[in-house]
Amino acid sequence: MKILVPVKRVIDYNVKVRVKTDETGVDLANVKMSMNPFCEIAVEEAVRLKEKGIATEVVAVSIGVTPAQETLRTALAMGADRAILLTTDVDPEPLAVAKLLKAVFEEEKPDAVIMGKQAIDGDNNATGQMLAALLDLPQATFASEVVVEGGKAKVTREVDGGLQTLEVALPAIITVDLRLNEPRFASLPNIMKAKKKPIDIKEASAYGVDLAPHLKVTKVTEPPKRSAGIKVESVGELVAKLKDAGVI
Amino acid sequence: MEIGLLQHFRNFLGDEGIITDVDLIAPHLKEWRDRYFGNTPFMLAPNSTEQVQKIVKFCAQNHLKLVSQGGNTGLVGGQIPMGEILLSLHRLNKIREINPLDDCIIAEAGVILENLQNAAAQNNRRFPLMLASQGSATIGGLISTNAGGVHVRKFGMMRQLVLGLEVVLPNGEIYSELSALRKDNTGYDLKQLFIGAEGTLGVITAASLKISARPKYSVNAMLGLENAQMAVECLHALEEQTAAITAFEIMNKQALQFGIKNLGARNPLTELHNFTALVEFEGAFPDLPEHIEDALSTLIEAGKINDATIAQNEAQANSFWHLREGMSAAQKPEGRAAKHDVSVPISKIPSFLDQAEAAAKNIVNGARIVAFGHISDGNIHYDVARPENMPDDEFQNFIKDINHAVNDVVVSLGGSISAEHGIGIARKDEFCAREPKAHLELMKALKAVIDPQNILNSRNLFS
């Protein structure tokens, strides 16, 4: 069984995000970039399936600027076997990413795509679903448990109000949620091995997909600062203050 | 309490500056490891140097004793009043000036270290002092205890970061030299007197401090090591190969086990090693990780390191540091311990660990040795935790003997019985017994000249 794992290079989620002074976007100059945390969970799950003897090959794929190679190296250090990078300087929208992944899927013919439910930069939560639709394949989103058996995947997903278990025939698209697993630390020997694993670098433009954005960002601003709260002495005072504020 | 006295302070401090509510004072009377519990008639919380000056002047005139306190993170009991008036500097918390071009920041005593670090960062500079309690510890206390932390090898202790001080002297006069100068050889360097003086010679109200360039790239690695000798060799081998080490911390197996068990942390390495090192590297160029990876794999191939992992993102780096910085908290559920904060020459660390363990276990068989700390500057936090099945009360009887035995080893290796926490009240017996008489006499003479009435932190240092 071959698993394709798309991974995205994003601003490290522990970095305090700053808005550019001209309000055109987030300042990425000299900012630590890392693998999207949901993608990390997807890589971990694929590697665990390989370690269990269920998967035979894990292929990581990324779309983005050349330094996204570092993100792929992290996936390789975690245990992916090889990687593909489609280079582009534009920041493609989910539909364009899904179309490019469809093209990679058709080249690679994997038995499953395991990917993050969303990237923490755009927070779109769209690419996995779009990819399933474009490929006309089953999808199981927000996975908190994945069991692969007999050409099928049993996926427990986190939904409002509880858990739902789906069974999907493979190949399928599985998007993962935070509670699926805890990604491993990359050991130094594996980091060194990863340097020797192949990364196939191609131009994204070669796939004939329209990468031009269809949305225009007009302005990015910081959320308004919260003003300090006050302490009240009694329930009565609390109710009075809430009434003053016109909220009850 | 005399109403007149309270009213006197209230007249110039205002209601916010004098606290009599027992519940509000309580957190200031308890050392966070539950080792010291104090008492005080009331707490004064001035918000300006002038107010501190008025307080000290009044106390000097009326023979009233003060204990000054910052973030209450001290580990030797020096900040806990035992009947004295508590002088809390926490409202003296303004950053007065930041001058990136002078590489200088002027902060008041009550500024929390983390806030100072953030203020420097906002100006594209860095204040390099880094320690576990940085979210609470304040500048005044950090100077008064000459705090150290994890960056000492590269940036020095607090003393090396202080350019100038503003201090209220025990007679109410002010020593003020908030200088931005790196070079100033005019007479005695008086500010040095107050650094590490544990509040006995004056109340520090503000300081001018060194800031420097921010690191552009950093790499955090965890190393699994066979023994302490390997740790010392690795420190030097990595320094020679990378010239980029900013911190090199170790934890022995017991320390890491407590961390994993009591902090709910994961071991970043697949196995437990006799020693685990957390190494931080910093550099200005993007190929830093590659250099570190190469240097570390050379050491693995040479059999100098058992295993290693490199943080792939900030979350992983933070989880490494969470383990290291949680070492004190991780010990709390394990019961009483004889704690030591010692330093020896780096090359003597392996001998110290061997000899101290033998000495401690000779007193209490089955004691659990928790050793961790800053191998890069020779400072080891050496804690001897009670055997698992021994009651705290029983173990308590052995603590003094263990302290003495461990300190004997330290001194025999040319070390110090207090590396970075200070003497306070916890270590003054050991300190006064071991310090050469001539040194002690000189220290006491200084104290007598500067604070003849002995009103400031009078129980610190000397028995």
Side-chain angles (χ1 to χ4, degrees):
Chain A
M1 175 182 174
K2 185 200 269 191
I3 302 175
L4 186 68
V5 187
V7 297
K8 187 173 186 187
R9 177 181 187 262
V10 297
I11 189 165
D12 190 286
Y13 90 97
N14 273 7
V15 166
K16 194 173 177 290
V17 171
R18 280 189 203 166
V19 172
K20 283 187 195 165
T21 43
D22 63 2
E23 299 190 332
T24 57
V26 168
D27 193 355
L28 295 180
N30 290 324
V31 170
K32 167 96 177 156
M33 304 294 280
S34 300
M35 190 191 297
N36 175 40
F38 291 103
C39 301
E40 225 186 325
I41 293 167
V43 174
E44 177 66 30
E45 196 63 17
V47 172
R48 285 186 192 187
L49 285 169
K50 193 182 168 198
E51 286 168 346
K52 283 181 197 154
I54 295 165
T56 47
E57 190 181 26
V58 176
V59 182
V61 55
S62 192
I63 300 162
V65 291
T66 320
Q69 280 184 79
E70 292 161 18
T71 310
L72 288 170
R73 289 279 172 219
T74 299
L76 295 171
M78 288 174 73
D81 296 289
R82 61 188 172 86
I84 301 164
L85 174 61
L86 308 188
T87 56
T88 171
D89 287 333
V90 288
D91 185 14
E93 289 170 359
L95 184 59
V97 173
K99 285 178 177 171
L100 286 169
L101 291 177
K102 175 175 184 270
V104 174
F105 185 96
E106 283 161 353
E107 281 175 2
E108 291 286 334
K109 300 189 176 51
D111 300 285
V113 178
I114 302 183
M115 58 197 289
K117 69 167 182 178
Q118 69 194 67
I120 59 159
D121 51 359
D123 270 346
N124 290 301
N125 191 338
T127 307
Q129 294 87 330
M130 286 175 172
L131 177 62
L134 289 171
L135 288 166
D136 198 19
L137 288 177
Q139 58 176 296
T141 52
F142 316 144
S144 62
E145 194 188 348
V146 176
V147 180
V148 176
E149 235 171 25
K152 288 176 178 166
K154 203 187 263 182
V155 177
T156 306
R157 53 196 304 266
E158 298 185 346
V159 293
D160 291 346
L163 300 174
Q164 179 188 44
T165 305
L166 296 180
E167 194 174 76
V168 288
L170 298 176
I173 313 301
I174 298 167
T175 77
V176 305
D177 218 323
L178 276 183
R179 270 169 287 269
L180 178 60
N181 62 46
E182 207 177 354
R184 69 194 58 198
F185 296 97
S187 77
L188 187 75
N190 286 337
I191 290 171
M192 299 313 283
K193 272 185 221 155
K195 289 181 195 280
K196 295 187 181 118
K197 292 180 182 175
I199 299 183
D200 192 5
I201 301 173
K202 304 171 189 185
E203 293 267 350
S205 57
Y207 286 85
V209 173
D210 176 17
L211 296 175
H214 295 84
L215 294 171
K216 194 176 153 216
V217 174
T218 51
K219 194 175 167 187
V220 176
T221 55
E222 282 193 35
K225 286 217 164 53
R226 281 182 60 181
S227 51
I230 56 159
K231 278 187 185 164
V232 292
E233 296 289 339
S234 65
V235 175
E237 195 188 339
L238 173 66
V239 172
K241 291 279 182 202
L242 290 172
K243 277 189 180 152
D244 288 350
V247 290
I248 55 169
Chain B
M1 185 46 53
E2 272 178 65
I3 302 297
L5 186 59
L6 288 177
Q7 195 52 50
H8 172 82
F9 284 120
R10 189 165 277 124
N11 283 346
F12 68 90
L13 293 172
D15 287 342
E16 276 178 279
I18 176 157
I19 293 110
T20 51
D21 184 332
V22 178
D23 293 337
L24 292 177
I25 298 177
H28 296 268
L29 297 179
K30 180 174 160 299
E31 190 251 13
W32 68 275
R33 296 182 304 179
D34 295 341
R35 291 160 65 88
Y36 302 96
F37 298 90
N39 61 84
T40 186
F42 51 87
M43 179 167 95
L44 302 178
N47 68 356
S48 70
T49 303
E50 292 68 35
Q51 288 187 353
V52 176
Q53 196 179 8
K54 278 187 180 171
I55 291 169
V56 174
K57 218 169 221 167
F58 181 81
C59 288
Q61 283 159 1
N62 294 278
H63 309 288
L64 296 169
K65 292 194 182 225
L66 290 165
V67 165
S68 49
Q69 185 182 89
N72 192 16
T73 59
L75 296 166
V76 289
Q79 77 280 21
I80 306 289
M82 299 285 176
E84 297 91 345
I85 296 169
L86 179 55
L87 175 60
S88 172
L89 282 307
H90 74 272
R91 288 177 69 220
L92 215 63
N93 59 2
K94 283 186 286 296
I95 290 178
R96 291 188 191 163
E97 259 181 74
I98 303 181
N99 298 311
L101 293 181
D102 293 338
D103 290 314
C104 177
I105 186 165
I106 298 178
E108 293 183 344
V111 171
I112 291 170
L113 175 54
E114 205 163 81
N115 294 346
L116 187 83
Q117 292 166 342
N118 291 339
Q122 277 160 17
N123 288 271
N124 206 23
R125 290 289 187 279
R126 177 250 292 274
F127 185 68
L129 194 79
M130 181 174 149
L131 35 79
S133 59
Q134 62 194 24
S136 310
T138 58
I139 296 309
L142 291 162
I143 296 172
S144 292
T145 55
N146 187 24
V150 304
H151 281 158
V152 169
R153 184 181 181 88
K154 176 95 186 264
F155 300 99
M157 299 198 44
M158 195 61 173
R159 188 181 299 281
Q160 279 77 40
L161 299 169
V162 173
L163 294 170
L165 288 180
E166 177 188 272
V167 185
V168 174
L169 301 172
N171 61 6
E173 296 296 313
I174 290 194
Y175 165 86
S176 180
E177 196 157 59
L178 293 171
S179 159
L181 302 178
R182 264 69 176 170
K183 291 187 167 182
D184 178 11
N185 283 350
T186 50
Y188 297 143
D189 190 0
L190 291 176
K191 66 176 177 288
Q192 302 298 350
L193 273 179
F194 305 100
I195 304 171
E198 305 189 7
T200 57
L201 300 181
V203 180
I204 294 171
T205 50
S208 52
L209 301 160
K210 266 186 214 173
I211 47 178
S212 47
R214 285 177 86 187
K216 276 188 96 168
Y217 300 93
S218 71
V219 172
N220 288 272
M222 279 280 213
L223 318 180
L225 301 159
E226 197 55 40
N227 54 46
Q229 185 58 37
M230 292 295 194
V232 172
E233 285 174 24
C234 264
L235 165 70
H236 292 107
L238 284 171
E239 184 122 290
E240 281 160 25
Q241 286 185 51
T242 67
I245 291 179
T246 44
F248 194 115
E249 301 282 305
I250 59 161
M251 292 169 270
N252 74 349
K253 193 190 262 179
Q254 183 72 75
L256 194 67
Q257 279 169 331
F258 283 172
I260 291 165
K261 182 175 152 207
N262 298 328
L263 301 173
R266 269 199 296 169
N267 183 6
L269 298 169
T270 43
E271 282 172 42
L272 276 171
H273 300 268
N274 288 334
F275 287 90
T276 304
L278 167 51
V279 193
E280 179 191 69
F281 303 89
E282 286 178 1
F285 301 100
D287 58 356
L288 180 72
E290 230 168 289
H291 283 292
I292 306 306
E293 287 159 11
D294 288 345
L296 288 175
S297 43
T298 312
L299 289 172
I300 287 190
E301 280 159 26
K304 301 270 184 201
I305 304 179
N306 292 347
D307 192 11
T309 178
I310 293 178
Q312 298 295 304
N313 51 47
E314 293 297 299
Q316 290 188 355
N318 292 349
S319 73
F320 295 176
W321 282 101
H322 174 65
L323 253 180
R324 166 60 191 88
E325 293 184 337
M327 278 294 117
S328 280
Q331 285 182 61
K332 234 178 160 178
E334 301 292 336
R336 291 293 284 171
K339 295 185 178 256
H340 312 85
D341 159 45
V342 304
S343 69
V344 292
I346 295 170
S347 64
K348 297 288 198 310
I349 290 171
S351 318
F352 165 73
L353 290 171
D354 287 345
Q355 293 176 32
E357 180 164 354
K361 287 188 171 166
N362 194 27
I363 296 168
V364 179
N365 195 18
R368 295 169 295 169
I369 307 295
V370 182
F372 61 97
H374 324 289
I375 204 168
S376 55
D377 56 38
N379 178 195
I380 303 291
H381 299 300
Y382 193 81
D383 297 342
V384 181
R386 64 159 168 76
E388 222 167 341
N389 48 12
M390 184 183 277
D392 279 351
D393 290 349
E394 189 186 336
F395 184 72
Q396 181 70 38
N397 301 325
F398 297 112
I399 288 183
K400 256 199 143 104
D401 289 343
I402 296 173
N403 289 156
H404 196 73
V406 169
N407 288 340
D408 276 348
V409 175
V410 170
V411 172
S412 76
L413 294 169
S416 164
I417 64 161
S418 182
E420 62 175 4
H421 295 166
I423 300 298
I425 52 174
R427 305 199 203 287
K428 63 182 180 182
D429 290 347
E430 284 277 316
F431 165 65
C432 290
R434 292 176 189 275
E435 193 69 10
K437 192 163 167 278
H439 300 191
L440 269 180
E441 291 306 319
L442 185 55
M443 289 187 206
K444 286 180 179 169
L446 278 170
K447 170 74 174 169
V449 166
I450 297 170
D451 183 12
Q453 294 193 79
N454 199 19
I455 62 164
L456 295 184
N457 289 21
S458 58
R459 281 172 302 95
N460 285 357
L461 293 177
F462 312 115
S463 306

